[in-house]
């Protein structure tokens, strides 16, 4: 199975940014743990702080035989209609992920403009959220 893990804006700062919320492990640490967990599968990793680049990465996945996309869009989640439309434009199922429980945080984080076009969401389990979301693609 080919799984694509996409992280959006500010997720490159994981481990250094708000450690009380996102922990002290870096995105590289987290991606290494994901790759180890899914060692029988092909895992692709992508991070960008640019909204349009994330849209382009979603489009490109359609030509790469990707079976499932795990997307933590970061703050883009709450307002990016462009990413929402990019998800809707591809046939590959996308699972929305958040490390923190966005519903227990500030009001603006309670809205996701991408949830409606995602297969489901995994929210609030720290780095384990990515693994639970990836597992959702396995039979
Ligand atoms: C986040 C939650 C978002 O509200 C925030 O903007 C992030 C990270 C999470 O993983 O908990 O950057 O997506």
């Amino acid at each position: 199975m080919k799984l694509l893990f996409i992280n959006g804006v500010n997720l490159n700062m994981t481990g250094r940014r708000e450690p009380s919320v996102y922990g002290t492990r870096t995105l590289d640490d987290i991606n290494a743990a994901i790759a180890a967990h899914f060692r029988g599968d092909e895992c692709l990793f992508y991070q960008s702080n640019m909204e349009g680049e994330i849209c382009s990465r979603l489009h490109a996945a359609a030509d790469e035989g990707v079976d499932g996309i795990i997307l933590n869009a970061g703050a883009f989640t709450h307002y990016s209609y462009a990413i929402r439309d990019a998800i809707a434009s591809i046939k590959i199922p996308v699972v929305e992920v958040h490390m923190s429980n966005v519903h227990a945080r500030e009001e603006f984080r309670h809205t996701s403009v991408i949830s409606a076009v995602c297969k489901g969401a995994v929210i609030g389990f720290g780095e384990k959220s990515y693994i639970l979301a990836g597992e959702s693609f396995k039979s």
Side-chain angles (χ1 to χ4, degrees), residues 48-128:
S48 177
N49 292 321
M50 307 290 171
E51 184 181 28
E53 286 183 0
I54 291 173
C55 295
S56 296
R57 189 67 192 87
L58 288 161
H59 302 158
D63 301 320
E64 293 171 4
V66 170
D67 298 298
I69 297 173
I70 296 89
L71 171 64
N72 185 350
F76 290 145
T77 305
H78 312 303
Y79 64 87
S80 176
Y81 297 118
I83 291 176
R84 184 217 181 275
D85 285 351
I87 296 167
S89 76
I90 60 171
K91 293 200 177 77
I92 308 165
V94 176
V95 173
E96 175 183 353
V97 158
H98 299 288
M99 288 189 278
S100 65
N101 180 356
V102 286
H103 298 292
R105 299 181 64 195
E106 302 93 325
E107 189 90 29
F108 75 89
R109 296 185 205 276
H110 300 181
T111 299
S112 167
V113 300
I114 67 169
S115 286
V117 290
C118 287
K119 190 178 177 201
V122 180
I123 296 168
F125 297 95
E127 67 179 80
K128 211 174 153 194

Side-chain angles (χ1 to χ4, degrees), residues 10-11 13-26 30 72 74-75 78 98-102 105-106 109 126-127 130:
N10 294 317
L11 273 306
M13 295 297 289
T14 305
R16 283 174 287 168
R17 104 192 244 233
E18 300 180 79
S20 60
V21 179
Y22 302 113
T24 53
R25 275 155 63 77
T26 66
I30 293 169
N72 185 350
H78 312 303
H98 299 288
M99 288 189 278
S100 65
N101 180 356
V102 286
R105 299 181 64 195
E106 302 93 325
R109 296 185 205 276
E127 67 179 80
Y130 295 98

